[in-house]
Amino acid sequence: MPASPSTARAINDRLALRLLQQEGPLTAGQLKQLTGLSRPSVADLVERLAAAGLIDVVGESGEQRRGPNARLYGIVADRAHLAALDVRTEGVSVVVSDLLGRVLAEASVPIGGDTGTGPAVEQAVALVERAAKEAGVPELHTVGIGAPGLIDPATGELRDSGGLPAWHRRLMLALQERLPETRIHVENETNLAALAEQREGVARDRDTFVLLWLGHGTGAAVVLEGTLRRGASGGTGEIGFLPVPGTAGLPSAVDCEGGFHSLAGSAAIVELAQRHGLTVAAEGYEPLAASVVREAVAGAATEFLDALADRLAVGVASVVAILDPGCLVLAGEVGRAGGADLAARVERRVRRMSPLPTEVRASALGGGAVLRGALLTARERAQDELFGPLQGRAVLPGHATAPRGRDQLPPARG
């Protein structure tokens, strides 16, 4: 059925906003060319979006051109402000940005293993509040959080896990209590890393790939035909529990020791390095294994890197046999430290183990992928709400609302 006039207007508005998000400021003529709409339709949508406080004139397209057609329109970046958190067992990092994703402030705080639940939560919440204050942001519209563990697909909440600090789950509740007007969204950290690599990293040309996270622990994210797969219980990618040869036993329902984690976790990699005579001091809060691998690559420690690639290939080949992703990204601090050298070694071994051609790539974002993915998610959630139908939404004083329509556009890919 043909779209009603109000639905068509809503679709056109959303399309224009997405183009402004992806391309930056545009003139009315450029919007006409990119959308295929008529000049009157573009003039109407520009008026609607400006009245709703979503776009504004940000300049002119050139000195030789004057008048309405030369005006450059851009999204009002401070219409909403966002925060992203990377929650780890040893601390929290946060960034605050505007609606376009421009970082306004960033900070981090270590949280020791002996810190109680209450003090740990207070440190993390205070960090968010300080960062927002430093950025000059009176109110956060949306907060995206990346955390280890399973996200309940029914509730969207972090599930209770005996292997993670109790303050992780309490933090989500505390943020909602302290920021009652803010939308809080929690996602598994590895899933967010995959989102960041697909949008801004080494998987931009791939609709299907698997990301293997190598940090303090191990994890995987599965993207099939452009869609992140979470599984029936939210546990897709819990590769640390994968039974593999070369371990002393088998994993259990409550402990991944004996699974792939025993081969590829930070402690296991450090132990392997020590067996090969390598010792490296820790740098900051990154996993010690990342320092070991970085030094091994720089020093051409071939035997250790080959042994590590042998271990990683066992898990990678298992994933390839089931999913045939065609591409696997070695991510996390350790994957980034190993770079193209380690990725190439793993790829050669997987080729010998599997008939399914698989390209292994090194992460472009490393440990920062989780925070970047959380910010991308927060931005998309906020824009989905703000860029939706204009009817019934609060607008700037003195401005009228536009007709209501149903949002039918797919999520942004950039």
Side-chain angles (χ1 to χ4, degrees), residues 186-202:
V186 185
E187 180 58 271
N188 173 267
E189 58 178 354
T190 308
N191 288 344
L192 290 177
L195 170 65
E197 292 288 355
Q198 187 182 36
R199 299 282 179 82
E200 301 179 347
V202 296

Side-chain angles (χ1 to χ4, degrees), residues 303-346:
E303 290 187 4
F304 163 69
L305 291 172
D306 282 343
L308 176 57
D310 287 339
R311 288 186 170 195
L312 298 180
V314 171
V316 173
S318 299
V319 170
V320 168
I322 300 298
L323 297 175
D324 185 19
C327 178
L328 185 131
V329 177
L330 294 183
E333 296 90 349
V334 175
R336 179 68 182 275
D341 187 319
L342 182 59
R345 293 173 191 270
V346 173

Side-chain angles (χ1 to χ4, degrees), residues 104-332:
L104 306 175
E106 51 190 320
S108 61
V109 61
I111 297 178
D114 57 349
T115 306
T117 298
V121 169
E122 182 56 35
Q123 287 183 51
V125 174
L127 182 73
V128 176
E129 293 176 334
R130 286 199 305 273
K133 183 177 181 180
E134 179 185 336
V137 174
E139 181 178 297
L140 292 170
H141 182 281
T142 305
V143 174
I145 302 172
L150 301 180
I151 307 299
D152 189 325
T155 65
E157 297 177 352
L158 188 65
R159 288 171 52 181
D160 190 16
S161 173
L164 296 173
W167 64 267
H168 280 197
R169 293 190 74 242
R170 178 61 191 140
L171 173 60
M172 316 310 162
L173 298 174
L175 282 170
Q176 197 66 80
E177 291 169 0
R178 200 95 129 227
L179 306 171
E181 301 302 318
T182 300
R183 296 98 178 134
I184 309 291
H185 300 283
V186 185
E187 180 58 271
N188 173 267
E189 58 178 354
T190 308
N191 288 344
L192 290 177
L195 170 65
E197 292 288 355
Q198 187 182 36
R199 299 282 179 82
E200 301 179 347
V202 296
R204 282 174 290 182
D205 61 335
R206 293 282 182 166
D207 281 337
T208 295
F209 70 99
V210 170
L211 181 139
L212 175 60
W213 181 270
L214 301 170
H216 288 286
T218 59
V222 177
V223 178
L224 301 178
E225 298 179 346
T227 301
L228 181 68
R229 303 296 181 179
R230 294 177 174 83
S233 61
T236 295
E238 288 295 313
I239 196 172
F241 287 88
L242 181 71
V244 292
T247 63
L250 292 173
S252 70
V254 296
D255 191 351
C256 59
E257 288 299 322
F260 183 62
H261 172 83
S262 296
L263 297 182
S266 180
I269 294 175
V270 170
E271 182 183 358
L272 179 66
Q274 291 172 340
R275 276 194 253 153
H276 285 80
L278 303 177
T279 55
V280 178
E283 296 182 7
Y285 300 108
E286 74 172 3
L288 181 55
S291 299
V292 171
V293 172
R294 186 179 299 109
E295 291 296 321
V297 171
T302 300
E303 290 187 4
F304 163 69
L305 291 172
D306 282 343
L308 176 57
D310 287 339
R311 288 186 170 195
L312 298 180
V314 171
V316 173
S318 299
V319 170
V320 168
I322 300 298
L323 297 175
D324 185 19
C327 178
L328 185 131
V329 177
L330 294 183

Side-chain angles (χ1 to χ4, degrees), residues 14 18 379-389 407 410-412:
R14 183 68 175 270
R18 287 302 186 196
R379 188 182 74 178
E380 186 167 291
R381 295 294 183 95
Q383 290 179 343
D384 279 345
E385 179 174 328
L386 293 170
F387 293 0
D407 173 17

Side-chain angles (χ1 to χ4, degrees), residues 46 50 55-60 70-74 76:
V46 166
I55 68 171
D56 201 356
V57 177
V58 296
E60 292 192 347
R71 292 173 184 164
L72 279 169
Y73 297 95
V76 178

